Amino acid sequence: MSTDVLHRVFDGQGFDGTPLEIDLAALHVPYGASGLTAVEPAIREAAERHERIGLSGPIGCGKTSVLRYALDQPDQDVAPIWVSVARDSDDVVLEPKPFVAHVIQHTLRAAEKSSALDRATAAEVLQAATARRPLPTTARRAAGKVAAKFWIANAELSSDVTTTLYGQDLTRPLGEVVESAGRALEAIAAFGYDPVIVIDDSDAFTRGGTDAEQARLVAAFFGRTLKALTELPCGLVVALHSDYEALPGYQAARREWGVLQRVLEVPETVSGHLQRILARRIELTAGARLDDVLLAEAVEALAELNRGPARRNLRTVLAVAHEALAGAVDRDREIIDAGDVRRAATKHLP
């Protein structure tokens, strides 16, 4: 056995816990493959039916990866409109009109960025997506900010939506702003797609601030703010923190406003599924097998971290795997053992 395989995985950032979002669909291993709940097909089917659903799980468990795999493929009839709420002011979260305007701005920027890609880069993105492979190095910088692949698959659609939304007065009354958003979604549907608004970072409300402030944001957002989207001709998928279920304000908002029709859970990552995730990363970056890089005891040590101290945070588990890989490379080792994992864990977990 040679150290070359470990170097290839390391150089290719095989255990990167925060890859480009556009690559997440290629890196994700569907839960259905491990015999657990087939959550990815359920999400896709809900989007096609214009349902309003939640996807629940702790931070870092893989909600975004699940959504990207389920929704962000150019050969599907689903058109995901990715909307972030992590870095915006409280007004965007608390008030319906600013939030609908926020959705419009995200849609316009996504269409404009996709339209700006040159043909060669667009072709590389689509080829990689069809083969379920991460983007080649030549395309990563140019395409890293692309919101969804369906925009690239249909340049005429991107142009049509840009024309529809450009120059809209977002200070008008809520009903008129909603109408503007509806026209853009109808333009997307006219090209044969099922539009779905996807909010994959609502768990950002749990970061910082007092418990009272967090509770206020969660109650408002899952109540009157999201209620404005129910008037739009599209589906809705919201990734939410599993702790929200225990918040009285969240429960009351769901009862009073009825925005989310049902909530799906991200399945727990059992040992076998973690093996498949690691094997997928190794195959993509080094063309090698799992047992060329990690001893069985090292995989089990990572699985124990996921079940225990990491609390289902796959980003953290992958960070530990990367640290263990770096340590093995530094020591000119040929394979990662449980000792490498334990030493790496001390840097990432208390």
Side-chain angles (χ1 to χ4, degrees):
M1 192 175 294
S2 166
T3 61
D4 181 58
V5 174
L6 265 65
H7 281 271
R8 291 204 305 273
V9 178
F10 181 78
D11 293 341
Q13 295 291 302
F15 298 149
D16 183 6
T18 55
L20 292 176
E21 288 194 347
I22 201 169
D23 282 340
L24 286 176
L27 295 172
H28 180 68
V29 177
Y31 282 92
S34 61
L36 297 173
T37 303
V39 66
E40 297 89 355
I43 291 169
R44 184 165 54 249
E45 291 163 9
E48 292 169 348
R49 293 193 296 264
H50 288 191
E51 280 190 72
R52 304 187 304 275
I53 66 170
L55 179 65
S56 178
I59 288 176
C61 73
K63 295 188 291 293
T64 302
S65 295
V66 168
L67 293 175
R68 287 283 174 177
Y69 183 92
L71 302 173
D72 192 17
Q73 282 298 101
D75 58 349
Q76 294 178 169
D77 294 332
V78 176
I81 310 297
W82 299 88
V83 180
S84 172
V85 296
R87 298 180 180 85
D88 298 290
S89 69
D90 289 358
D91 288 344
V92 169
V93 173
L94 294 170
E95 297 295 333
K97 189 172 80 171
F99 184 71
V100 177
H102 184 65
V103 170
I104 289 175
Q105 290 165 338
H106 268 267
T107 307
L108 177 58
R109 284 197 297 268
E112 289 177 329
K113 287 178 181 177
S114 300
S115 298
L117 281 186
D118 62 79
R119 290 184 179 180
T121 301
E124 284 187 289
V125 172
L126 296 177
Q127 288 169 4
T130 301
R132 289 225 181 254
R133 295 274 170 173
L135 286 177
T137 304
T138 53
R140 291 177 72 82
R141 180 173 297 179
K145 298 297 182 181
V146 170
K149 302 183 187 82
F150 81 92
W151 294 113
I152 307 172
N154 198 318
E156 184 181 354
L157 167 59
S158 300
S159 176
D160 196 5
V161 171
T162 299
T163 301
T164 300
L165 293 179
Y166 191 77
Q168 292 290 323
D169 181 5
L170 302 180
T171 65
R172 293 174 301 163
L174 174 61
E176 296 181 26
V177 177
V178 170
E179 285 180 10
S180 295
R183 285 194 294 272
L185 295 170
E186 287 167 358
I188 292 172
F191 280 83
Y193 291 99
D194 294 303
V196 54
I197 295 172
V198 185
I199 302 162
D200 75 339
D201 57 2
S202 82
D203 57 8
F205 302 157
T206 63
R207 303 168 195 166
T210 66
D211 290 346
E213 289 170 342
Q214 293 168 4
R216 182 173 66 100
L217 290 172
V218 168
F221 185 70
F222 287 94
R224 63 194 300 266
T225 299
L226 284 184
K227 184 65 174 179
L229 300 187
T230 63
E231 301 179 36
L232 296 173
C234 66
L236 173 66
V237 179
V238 186
L240 52 101
H241 198 292
S242 51
D243 288 350
Y244 288 175
E245 193 62 43
L247 297 177
Y250 168 78
Q251 296 174 358
R254 284 202 63 190
R255 286 195 303 270
E256 180 180 355
W257 299 93
V259 174
L260 298 182
Q261 295 164 308
R262 59 190 175 116
V263 174
L264 306 175
E265 300 283 339
V266 176
E268 290 194 27
T269 301
V270 296
S271 299
H273 191 64
L274 180 60
Q275 288 180 22
R276 282 183 279 275
I277 292 171
L278 295 168
R280 173 75 174 160
R281 301 296 193 100
I282 291 166
E283 189 274 329
L284 287 172
T285 53
R289 300 174 305 176
L290 178 68
D291 56 10
D292 291 329
V293 175
L294 290 143
L295 290 176
E297 64 182 38
V299 177
E300 180 54 32
L302 289 168
E304 288 178 6
L305 291 176
N306 186 59
R307 290 191 295 265
R311 298 182 180 181
R312 294 183 60 196
N313 192 323
L314 280 175
R315 283 200 296 265
T316 299
V317 173
L318 287 169
V320 171
H322 177 77
E323 188 72 38
L325 172 64
V329 168
D330 287 343
R331 289 188 291 276
D332 206 29
R333 300 277 302 282
E334 293 184 351
I335 199 163
I336 300 168
D337 62 23
D340 295 314
V341 172
R342 286 192 290 269
R343 281 187 291 272
T346 61
K347 295 187 178 182
H348 293 274
L349 293 165

